[in-house]
Amino acid sequence: MNPNLAKIDRTNEHYTFELAQGVKRTTVTFRNHFGIELAADLYTPEEILKQVQDDKAEKLPALAISGPFGAVKEQSSGFYANQMASRGYIALAFDPSYTGESGGEPRYMNSPDINTEDFMAAVDFLSTCENIDPEKSAL
């Protein structure tokens, strides 16, 4: 093995954008009501994480974001979530059912009913997170 390859940071290589300064990306999963496991990235302003440690955290607005058909969280929805987190929101970018790292068979199909369910599950997931203000959120 080439020793130089071990020094390359591959953390962001499958994302189509750079992580914004002051934003933390955390990989999470949750299930919709059909039992399909959805893969997501939670984007949080790092300042709020510091405040949580100091017990001074304010509650922030939150957004659930998914891209157009065929897109995955490493593309448009992640880009928008990253931008919104840099502006003070907690944002969840997720792969819809049958797409990307989320479950569901057959692969790469679209169902308006399942898509609606995926968003409802994302909102349910966000409602369980600390530091989210449901009165300010697009939930």
Side-chain angles (χ1 to χ4, degrees):
M1 181 173 144
N2 183 339
N4 293 326
L5 292 179
K7 297 177 184 175
I8 297 172
D9 179 8
R10 298 195 186 285
T11 308
N12 296 315
E13 77 177 13
H14 58 284
Y15 289 87
T16 60
F17 57 91
E18 295 290 324
L19 189 61
Q21 186 174 356
V23 173
K24 179 175 169 94
R25 178 174 46 224
T26 307
T27 301
V28 297
T29 60
F30 55 94
R31 291 191 180 275
N32 67 18
H33 291 111
F34 292 105
I36 298 171
E37 185 173 73
L38 302 177
D41 289 328
L42 187 65
Y43 291 80
T44 309
E46 287 183 342
E47 187 59 37
I48 196 70
L49 298 172
K50 292 176 189 168
Q51 291 173 4
V52 167
Q53 292 172 345
D54 297 338
D55 255 355
K56 298 177 184 175
E58 67 174 289
K59 294 190 180 269
L60 297 176
L63 300 165
I65 304 170
S66 185
F69 178 72
V72 291
K73 66 188 177 307
E74 294 85 4
Q75 297 171 335
S76 59
S77 58
F79 174 80
Y80 291 121
N82 183 43
Q83 292 297 310
M84 296 308 292
S86 72
R87 289 164 171 77
Y89 289 81
I90 295 174
L92 181 72
F94 66 94
D95 289 341
S97 295
Y98 314 112
T99 306
E101 293 180 303
S102 288
E105 294 288 335
R107 301 301 293 165
Y108 310 110
M109 66 159 274
N110 190 16
S111 163
D113 293 336
I114 299 286
N115 191 259
T116 300
E117 174 55 38
D118 290 346
F119 271 99
M120 291 171 53
V123 168
D124 288 347
F125 173 81
L126 285 170
S127 70
T128 66
C129 296
E130 294 181 22
N131 307 318
I132 290 180
D133 185 343
E135 299 296 319
K136 295 179 187 176
S137 298
L139 302 178

